[in-house]
Amino acid sequence: METNWLTKDELAAWVRLYTVVELLPNVLDSQLRRDADLTSFEYYVLAMLSEAPDRTLRMTALAARTSATLPRLSHVVKRLEARGLMERFPCPEDRRATNARITDDGWRKILEAAPGHVANVRSHVIDALTPEQLGQLRGIADALLGKLDPDAAMAPLYRRHDVTA
Amino acid sequence: METNWLTKDELAAWVRLYTVVELLPNVLDSQLRRDADLTSFEYYVLAMLSEAPDRTLRMTALAARTSATLPRLSHVVKRLEARGLMERFPCPEDRRATNARITDDGWRKILEAAPGHVANVRSHVIDALTPEQLGQLRGIADALLGKLDPDAAMAPLYRRHDVTA
DNA sequence: TAAGGTTAGTTGTCGCAACAACAAACTTCG
DNA sequence: CGAAGTTTGTTGTTGCGACAACTAACCTTA
């Protein structure tokens, strides 16, 4: 099997993407850590709940929306529950299942954290790009997600605000 | 301070980028783990060394090229050294400094791991994009790196193959 | 040449993620 | 009905990354 090495242009694009993927999580995490004592994963767990009907989601659904495995989510939710930011209760319809709900404290926490997080995203990502590049980025990311997430397991996250027309 | 929330288009692009950033490391790591018993970070450490003159770099230079902090690199190198894939020796010019060099075993390891890694990158990233999108991606990533890496600390990595003209 | 400050690197501790093993509840089908 | 298999979620262990504290060496400048 002959290796199909990357061309110069492919390598240039790839290495830059790789570097972005390496640096971006740090930028997000350190701001949220500092200003709200949340990891970016915890932030998105709370954010997904805050958007859900009744501020409630089943663990499996929440795991899908945050690209987490169930064990990982379980640990994180336990910590957030200990901090009073969310709560769990058995699902009435399916006694195997657990519902996760954001508490009022969690709601306040996310409201208070959101502006700083958005400002951070804006200054590091959005403002760096022209409107044209923003559209290109959406197309590129969609193409990549087709390969990275072939079952569209995370589609509820990244397609949640699409127009249905 | 009024929050400047994201527009619908900005949010769409951002959420997709975020999802890619969340999923991509897993795709890279699991292939390298499985096929070569290396994390993607370890792979790039060895790869940077294999490209360096005399297959050697000072720890600080290696840290810059891999976006690692010095403590992190130190731990990782200790493990790679224990596995015989690289070695450290004092720098003659500056007795504070340590040189890191890839061993013959490490060289063989990276040669053996590269084809699978490249094939993985190709199938999950490169092949998902049109040539036009590949060029756009490079421009977008460059713009982002201007914000994420303002001091261009990682430039030796992502600019290493640029044409000098 | 000696003191203050900076740079290079290592080590120790803590927290989180991955993985595997497990328990409990649902579902299917003979 | 009941046994096999699947889905849902939790827990325990292991390993890596972040951060802080530390040592050692270099570089000023008085």
Side-chain angles (χ1 to χ4, degrees):
Chain A
M1 174 65 181
E2 204 57 23
T3 296
N4 193 3
W5 299 105
L6 300 186
T7 68
K8 198 162 64 61
D9 283 347
E10 289 167 345
L11 188 62
W14 164 242
V15 172
R16 283 163 178 77
L17 174 61
Y18 178 81
T19 308
V20 168
V21 166
E22 192 81 9
L23 295 179
L24 191 50
N26 268 319
V27 169
L28 300 178
D29 272 330
S30 48
Q31 181 271 328
L32 279 170
R33 264 278 191 219
R34 177 167 42 83
D35 296 345
D37 194 28
L38 289 174
T39 65
S40 96
F41 181 71
E42 290 168 338
Y43 177 91
Y44 276 95
V45 167
L46 294 179
M48 287 307 102
L49 285 177
S50 72
E51 288 185 2
D54 294 330
R55 301 178 181 179
T56 302
L57 281 175
R58 283 181 38 177
M59 291 292 283
T60 301
L62 185 54
R65 275 170 182 71
T66 55
S67 93
T69 60
L70 223 28
R72 178 183 178 190
L73 181 64
S74 184
H75 284 297
V76 170
V77 167
K78 193 201 301 185
R79 292 191 285 265
L80 290 175
E81 197 175 23
R83 293 168 65 184
L85 301 179
M86 45 178 302
E87 57 192 352
R88 282 180 290 187
F89 59 96
C91 173
E93 292 88 23
D94 184 339
R95 289 195 306 168
R96 292 172 303 183
T98 304
N99 279 324
R101 183 166 49 202
I102 189 172
T103 62
D104 290 345
D105 274 4
W107 184 264
R108 275 189 289 276
K109 169 66 89 174
I110 199 80
L111 279 187
E112 153 199 326
H117 175 64
V118 170
N120 194 36
V121 169
R122 184 171 283 291
S123 73
H124 284 96
V125 177
I126 307 294
D127 287 352
L129 303 177
T130 66
E132 189 188 3
Q133 284 179 316
L134 212 65
Q136 294 171 352
L137 173 57
R138 177 171 172 166
I140 290 167
D142 263 333
L144 295 179
L145 289 173
K147 299 281 189 178
L148 297 175
D149 182 25
D151 304 333
M154 291 189 69
L157 168 57
Y158 57 81
R159 295 211 184 282
R160 70 202 148 127
H161 288 141
D162 283 7
V163 249
T164 51
Chain B
M1 175 63 180
E2 204 58 22
T3 296
N4 193 3
W5 299 103
L6 300 186
T7 68
K8 198 161 64 64
D9 284 347
E10 290 168 346
L11 188 62
W14 162 242
V15 172
R16 281 163 179 77
L17 173 61
Y18 178 81
T19 308
V20 168
V21 166
E22 191 81 9
L23 295 179
L24 192 49
N26 267 318
V27 169
L28 300 178
D29 273 330
S30 48
Q31 182 271 328
L32 280 170
R33 267 273 192 219
R34 177 167 43 83
D35 297 344
D37 195 27
L38 289 174
T39 65
S40 95
F41 181 71
E42 289 167 339
Y43 177 90
Y44 276 94
V45 167
L46 294 179
M48 288 308 103
L49 285 177
S50 72
E51 289 185 1
D54 294 330
R55 301 178 182 181
T56 302
L57 281 175
R58 283 181 38 176
M59 290 292 283
T60 302
L62 186 53
R65 275 171 181 71
T66 55
S67 92
T69 58
L70 223 30
R72 178 183 179 189
L73 182 64
S74 184
H75 284 298
V76 170
V77 167
K78 193 200 300 182
R79 283 175 230 138
L80 290 174
E81 198 174 25
R83 293 168 65 183
L85 301 178
M86 45 178 301
E87 57 193 353
R88 283 180 289 187
F89 59 96
C91 173
E93 293 89 24
D94 184 339
R95 288 196 305 168
R96 293 172 300 180
T98 304
N99 280 325
R101 183 166 49 200
I102 188 172
T103 62
D104 290 345
D105 274 2
W107 183 264
R108 275 189 289 275
K109 169 67 90 175
I110 199 81
L111 279 186
E112 154 198 326
H117 176 65
V118 170
N120 195 36
V121 169
R122 185 171 280 292
S123 73
H124 284 96
V125 177
I126 307 293
D127 287 352
L129 303 177
T130 66
E132 189 189 2
Q133 285 179 316
L134 212 65
Q136 295 170 353
L137 173 56
R138 177 170 173 166
I140 289 167
D142 263 333
L144 294 180
L145 288 173
K147 299 283 189 176
L148 297 175
D149 183 24
D151 305 332
M154 291 189 70
L157 168 58
Y158 57 81
R159 297 211 183 282
R160 70 203 148 127
H161 287 142
D162 284 6
V163 250
T164 50

